[in-house]
Structures are given as C-alpha cells and as structure tokens.
Amino acid sequence: MDRKELEGAVAPISSESLAQNTKAVYYIRSVTSTIFGVGAGILGLESYFGFLFYFAGTAYVSLLMFFILAKGKPAEFFTSPSYVWTGNAFTGLTSFVLTWTMLYGLVDA
Amino acid sequence: MTALSKFVTTISLLLLAHAGFSAYEFSHYLKHLTIKSNASLPADIIVETVVAIALFGLGQVIAAPTLQPVSFAKWAKQVEKEGNSPFAYLERRAGFVNIQQIRSDYKDSIKA
C-alpha cells in the first residue's frame, strides 16, 4: 500500500459530507458568477477587463468562503484545502460570458 | 436560507437593478441629449454595481448550508449526536435486544 492508501485506512473520509461540501461550493460559484456577468455588463467592460473582473470576483467569493463557510479551516471540510480557492473556479465562466454580453447589449440604449 | 441572507440578497439585487437602469438612462442621454459621446460611466453607478455584487456574494455565502467535517470520525460523531447514526442497525441486532424490557412493555400494553 502506498502512502495515500494508508492515510485513507487510518483516517477514513466521509464521502457523503465531501459531496455535500463540494455541492455547496459549486452552487455558490455558479450563482455568483452569473451575477458577476450582470455587473460586468452594466459597467460596460470589454475584452480582458471583463475576464479580469470575473477573476477578481471569484477571488472575492473564495475569500468569503474561506472565512465564513470554512471558518478559516478548509482542511477540515475538503480533502484538498485549496478547493475553497481553486475548486470550480472556471465552471461559472460560461454563464458569466452569457450574462455579461446580454447586459452589455441591454444597457446600451 | 436565513433571514439575514435573504435580506442581503434582496438589497443587492435591488441595487443591481437600479444600477442597470441608471446605466441605461446614462447611455440614453449620451446618445440623444449631448454631443459628447465618449464619456465614461458616472462613478456612482460604478460604485453601486460593485457594492451590489459584493453584497450578493456575501448573501450567497451566508445562505449556504453549513459544511460537514470530511473526516469520517468527526462526521460520525456529529451525526450520532443528531440521532441518525449510520451504525444504528448494529445496535438493533438480536444480541443487543433487551428481551425482558420488551416483554414488560408488552404486558403493560395488554393491561392498558
């Protein structure tokens, strides 16, 4: 047995709570990225600035998740502690572009 | 979803809708009432949008269900305290059944 298997045998992981935590992060990422797109459209951002806006917003939400959702201890709730920062960071990108372009067009009278 | 998160989310969506309407009005005036057509968005609309988004993110993070500990030991302890242990069936095996208790309960139920 390699190291990882041994760790799993000594300190087993609850797959049920892992799935529940991952789902919570996924939901927050998808909903917030849609609203980030609305914001980027209202601000009339173009090209790279829109994507920068997305990543700034994602970083902000990651910060909130780290301190409020995971109470500063992501290792206790995820198998990889970086999941709070990088997990599902790109899943919202498509819905972001959708609402971004839609609001950009709507706001332009 | 708690009352606080609902409140924060509602406020943020109202702010966002107002900012969107203001941005629309601004571009409308720019096109029909002025000659200067390359003016940037007023600062108050930008601030309103950014505040709305920040509040929305906060509201969603507050609304999320509390995370469960990923360590099986911690999770099982917590679940058992709540009364729905994944190992409850082990305590209902034949060897663990208190026959005398069940018999006296049965007698009482007949008498009643």
Side-chain angles (χ1 to χ4, degrees):
Chain A
M1 283 214 278
D2 66 340
R3 209 195 130 105
K4 211 155 197 186
E5 274 179 72
L6 285 169
E7 271 176 9
V10 172
I13 277 161
S14 160
S15 58
E16 197 177 309
S17 48
L18 184 63
Q20 199 179 318
N21 298 348
T22 321
K23 207 176 117 192
V25 170
Y26 176 78
Y27 179 78
I28 289 174
R29 289 271 189 233
S30 8
V31 173
T32 51
S33 57
T34 311
I35 293 296
F36 291 152
V38 173
I42 290 172
L43 295 178
L45 300 179
E46 284 169 0
S47 77
Y48 288 126
F49 292 110
F51 293 104
L52 276 180
F53 187 79
Y54 174 80
F55 288 112
T58 307
Y60 165 71
V61 168
S62 301
L63 206 69
L64 286 182
M65 287 200 294
F66 180 82
F67 284 110
I68 297 175
L69 204 61
K71 298 175 191 80
K73 295 174 285 183
E76 197 170 311
F77 303 106
F78 300 98
T79 40
S80 67
S82 65
Y83 191 82
V84 159
W85 301 101
T86 55
N88 286 319
F90 289 94
T91 44
L93 198 56
T94 44
S95 45
F96 171 81
V97 171
L98 177 79
T99 49
W100 173 23
T101 47
M102 189 179 85
L103 262 289
Y104 185 93
L106 275 178
V107 157
D108 190 33
Chain B
M1 199 179 236
T2 59
L4 178 67
S5 72
K6 263 184 193 161
F7 176 72
V8 171
T9 308
T10 312
I11 292 287
S12 72
L13 288 178
L14 283 176
L15 277 179
L16 199 63
H18 183 254
F21 181 67
S22 309
Y24 173 80
E25 290 278 277
F26 177 71
S27 94
H28 184 80
Y29 287 142
L30 218 56
K31 274 188 185 155
H32 299 284
L33 298 177
T34 61
I35 36 169
K36 194 177 152 203
S37 62
N38 59 345
S40 64
L41 211 58
D44 60 338
I45 300 180
I46 297 176
V47 169
E48 195 176 10
T49 313
V50 170
V51 167
I53 285 173
L55 279 181
F56 186 83
L58 184 68
Q60 287 308 306
V61 172
I62 295 174
T66 44
L67 300 184
Q68 304 295 319
V70 79
S71 151
F72 194 93
K74 281 183 187 169
W75 174 76
K77 205 192 279 175
Q78 185 180 315
V79 158
E80 194 144 9
K81 270 183 196 161
E82 287 161 7
N84 37 8
S85 161
F87 304 114
Y89 69 94
L90 288 175
E91 288 160 18
R92 275 189 239 111
R93 283 178 304 173
F96 286 81
V97 170
N98 187 348
I99 288 287
Q100 303 202 329
Q101 179 70 45
I102 293 175
R103 277 194 177 154
S104 73
D105 284 354
Y106 177 66
K107 271 182 193 162
D108 291 346
S109 73
I110 287 177
K111 274 180 200 163

